[in-house]
Amino acid sequence: MPLWKVALLSFTALITMVNPFAVVPSFIALTGNVSRATRSSVAFVAGVSCVIVLAVFLIAGNYLFNFFGITVPAFQIMGGIIFLSNALHTLVNDDRRGSNVGGEKRMEDSDVEKAEMDPTSIAVVPLAVPMLSGPGAITSVMVLVNLYPSIWQKFAVILSIVAVGIVSYLVLLAAVPLSRVMGDRGRTVFSKIMALLLGAIGVQFIINGLTPVLTEIMHP
């Protein structure tokens, strides 16, 4: 597979799980009373932290697989189920405040208190982890680890992770005007579209994971 296609497919899978647009309301609430410079700094640190977290799981993914004895098809099937369940939850649930295609992205009262004391302290937790690089995004990376095993393919995945971090930074940087333009209905429509893509990716992961298992069963 061409490296540009690996990067594009990886970017699509990751951006649907990270879904920075879903973090916009929480970001605005946490940084509503700070200066534009501070808000920019928080967005930058959150984007960089998201890249670091996902890159670490990409690099350490093979060691985790070997340590726990997990096969690639098993993780593909499990990852596909998680993607599909998150997508279905988004498509059938009209309440966008509780969860989204990227996993749980709730904002706790303690996060608001922390932001009031030191706005930059919320850039890593909870913005980068778990809102941006949550369980769904980490699962995506773990699936991509063995889906694209060669060094150059992993380099393409890292580039896609960096691209996701840049997009997340830009979205958070433009959070206030984006929130005004999109509105609640616009965010809902966007999330539904992302959920459809995520569901299709999840189904494909399940198919990819079941194929070698069924082949082994039918041809022992």
Side-chain angles (χ1 to χ4, degrees), residues 27-107:
F27 179 80
I28 293 175
L30 292 171
T31 60
N33 299 321
V34 302
S35 64
R36 181 178 299 180
T38 302
R39 188 181 295 116
S40 175
S41 176
V42 171
F44 178 77
V45 174
V48 172
S49 300
C50 175
V51 171
I52 293 174
V53 170
L54 296 182
V56 166
F57 275 93
L58 177 68
I59 295 171
N62 285 326
Y63 299 101
L64 292 175
F65 271 78
N66 294 332
F67 181 79
F68 290 106
I70 302 173
T71 63
V72 177
F75 210 90
Q76 284 181 319
I77 294 171
M78 190 60 208
I81 292 173
I82 292 175
F83 295 172
L84 184 59
S85 62
N86 283 336
L88 291 175
H89 187 274
T90 299
L91 290 172
V92 300
N93 187 7
D94 291 328
D95 186 1
R96 297 295 302 159
R97 292 172 297 179
S99 62
N100 51 71
V101 296
E104 294 296 324
K105 298 191 179 183
R106 292 190 177 92
M107 183 179 63

Side-chain angles (χ1 to χ4, degrees), residues 64-164:
L64 292 175
F65 271 78
N66 294 332
F67 181 79
F68 290 106
I70 302 173
T71 63
V72 177
F75 210 90
Q76 284 181 319
I77 294 171
M78 190 60 208
I81 292 173
I82 292 175
F83 295 172
L84 184 59
S85 62
N86 283 336
L88 291 175
H89 187 274
T90 299
L91 290 172
V92 300
N93 187 7
D94 291 328
D95 186 1
R96 297 295 302 159
R97 292 172 297 179
S99 62
N100 51 71
V101 296
E104 294 296 324
K105 298 191 179 183
R106 292 190 177 92
M107 183 179 63
E108 305 292 344
D109 293 337
S110 59
D111 297 329
V112 178
E113 295 174 0
K114 188 192 301 181
E116 291 174 351
M117 293 187 300
D118 181 12
T120 57
S121 65
I122 48 94
V124 178
V125 179
L127 288 177
V129 182
M131 290 187 176
L132 291 175
S133 51
I138 292 173
T139 301
S140 299
V141 171
M142 295 296 289
V143 172
L144 294 172
V145 164
N146 282 282
L147 194 60
Y148 305 119
S150 74
I151 295 178
W152 289 110
Q153 286 178 328
K154 281 185 170 58
F155 182 74
V157 175
I158 289 178
L159 288 180
S160 70
I161 291 175
V162 173
V164 168

Side-chain angles (χ1 to χ4, degrees), residues 205-216:
F205 278 165
I206 293 174
I207 293 174
N208 293 344
L210 286 175
T211 299
V213 175
L214 295 176
T215 301
E216 185 176 349

Side-chain angles (χ1 to χ4, degrees), residues 21 24-25 28 171 174-184 186-187:
F21 289 96
V24 166
I28 293 175
V171 169
V176 174
L178 275 176
S179 182
R180 293 171 183 166
V181 172
M182 292 181 66
D184 293 336
R187 285 194 297 270

